Amino acid sequence: MRALRTYPILGAAIAQLVAGVVVIALRLALHGVIDAGTLFWVSLALQSAGAALVTKLIGLPVWWVWISLGFPPAMALALHAGELPAWPFGVAFLLLYLVFSNTARERVPLYLSNSQTTEALLSLMRQRGGTRFTDLGSGLGGVVRRLDGEGRIACGVESAPMVWLVSALMSKLTGRGRIARQDIWAADISGEDIVYVFLSPEPMPALYRKAMGEMKPGSLLVSNSFAVPDVEADEIWELPDRRKTRLFLYEMKGGAAPA
Ligand SMILES: C[S@@+](CC[C@H](N)C(=O)[O-])C[C@H]1O[C@@H](n2cnc3c(N)ncnc32)[C@H](O)[C@@H]1O
């Protein structure tokens, strides 16, 4: 199970295989009983639903469940495309790359903080009288735009090209916050009162080392959902939203970054 969570594509492939075996058995059982067209649609629905179910049972993150669900129809479409031109597939691939380029590289997909989380971050900034806030991996920039203003300077750092472009434009249009097209590892976070991240388990150890090495004493690293392994958070906020969002708060003590 651990290997499947480390290499989720393996788990997704196994899920398609398991569903495939069930579909083959069903097709053999129903051959000649229902017409070929109906059998095709039943098989496709079962392949999608079965693969999504197995993906969920394996315990992969929810976006893999959606991928498992969508993969069979996408394959069926591609295989039955016939004389369709190839360019729409190329454009779709390019768009997906421009939006989700960090998913493969950093294992961080695009999902957004909800409004309860944004309000909790705002009240944290107010409580601490903070004036500088950075969202590392700022997505569409909603958190940055909400926290900027009333004397606070909020910045976002985003490297996925399309996501950066949309969020930078929205910041320009609303006059709230600033989004840099930058890699989070190159961002200067030395002057921030709060650095917020909503990434994945993968980068958390290195991110904590970066925060400890760069952030000033008394400042906070706040991670949505993903704790730093083997480091006890100074506070954990559980929010009253549907997904029971947990914010892990790490106060910077000053001193050397852990090795
Ligand atoms: C889960 S989303 C969170 C978006 C936003 N912080 C929010 O809470 O609504 C993570 C974002 O981090 C970005 N990201 C991942 N790795 C990155 C990196 N190395 N440099 C810059 N951005 C990165 C992704 O492109 C994605 O937009």
Side-chain angles (χ1 to χ4, degrees):
M1 282 300 177
R2 206 193 157 113
L4 295 185
R5 290 201 191 106
T6 312
Y7 302 101
I9 196 156
L10 261 184
I14 290 171
Q16 294 293 343
L17 278 177
V18 172
V21 170
V22 176
V23 166
I24 289 171
L26 179 93
R27 288 182 72 91
L28 290 175
L30 292 182
H31 185 70
V33 179
I34 57 174
D35 66 277
T38 311
L39 191 55
F40 170 79
W41 290 110
V42 171
S43 306
L44 188 59
L46 191 67
Q47 179 74 37
S48 285
L53 181 69
V54 176
T55 308
K56 179 136 185 69
L57 291 177
I58 290 173
L60 295 188
V62 71
W63 60 88
W64 278 102
V65 178
W66 288 108
I67 291 171
S68 295
L69 194 70
F71 184 73
M75 278 298 285
L77 186 69
L79 293 173
H80 291 82
E83 294 304 306
L84 279 186
W87 66 264
F89 295 98
V91 171
F93 178 78
L94 186 66
L95 279 177
L96 286 175
Y97 172 76
L98 292 176
V99 174
F100 294 108
S101 52
N102 284 316
T103 307
R105 198 164 56 95
E106 296 274 6
R107 291 174 190 270
V108 179
L110 176 64
Y111 36 76
L112 304 175
S113 295
N114 57 26
S115 58
Q116 288 94 332
T117 305
T118 310
E119 292 311 311
L121 291 169
L122 184 58
S123 88
L124 190 58
M125 278 294 273
R126 283 179 177 149
Q127 261 178 38
R128 300 175 69 90
T131 55
R132 300 272 308 254
F133 174 93
T134 283
D135 182 355
L136 288 181
S138 46
L140 293 177
V143 175
V144 172
R145 289 192 300 280
R146 180 70 182 107
L147 266 76
D148 193 80
E150 300 169 358
R152 287 180 303 274
I153 298 174
C155 298
V157 173
E158 177 57 57
S159 62
M162 187 68 94
V163 181
W164 165 77
L165 184 65
V166 171
S167 58
L169 277 177
M170 293 204 311
S171 269
K172 272 254 174 314
L173 288 175
T174 55
R176 296 187 77 107
R178 192 178 60 80
I179 312 287
R181 169 107 211 275
Q182 200 181 26
D183 194 280
I184 58 176
W185 304 113
D188 177 3
I189 50 172
S190 57
E192 304 312 288
D193 296 307
I194 293 186
V195 168
Y196 172 62
V197 288
F198 187 16
L199 298 170
S200 79
E202 180 84 4
M204 289 316 295
L207 193 76
Y208 184 68
R209 283 196 296 276
K210 175 178 169 66
M212 289 284 283
E214 293 181 25
M215 290 178 74
K216 58 192 179 195
S219 58
L220 270 190
L221 172 68
V222 179
S223 174
N224 185 337
S225 304
F226 307 110
V228 180
D230 305 323
V231 179
E232 201 176 324
D234 293 282
E235 277 181 56
I236 300 175
W237 286 18
E238 187 167 311
L239 306 184
D241 57 355
R242 207 162 50 91
R243 66 184 287 271
K244 299 260 170 290
T245 296
R246 297 216 295 165
L247 297 178
F248 297 89
L249 277 55
Y250 301 92
E251 183 156 324
M252 298 297 124
K253 311 282 187 311

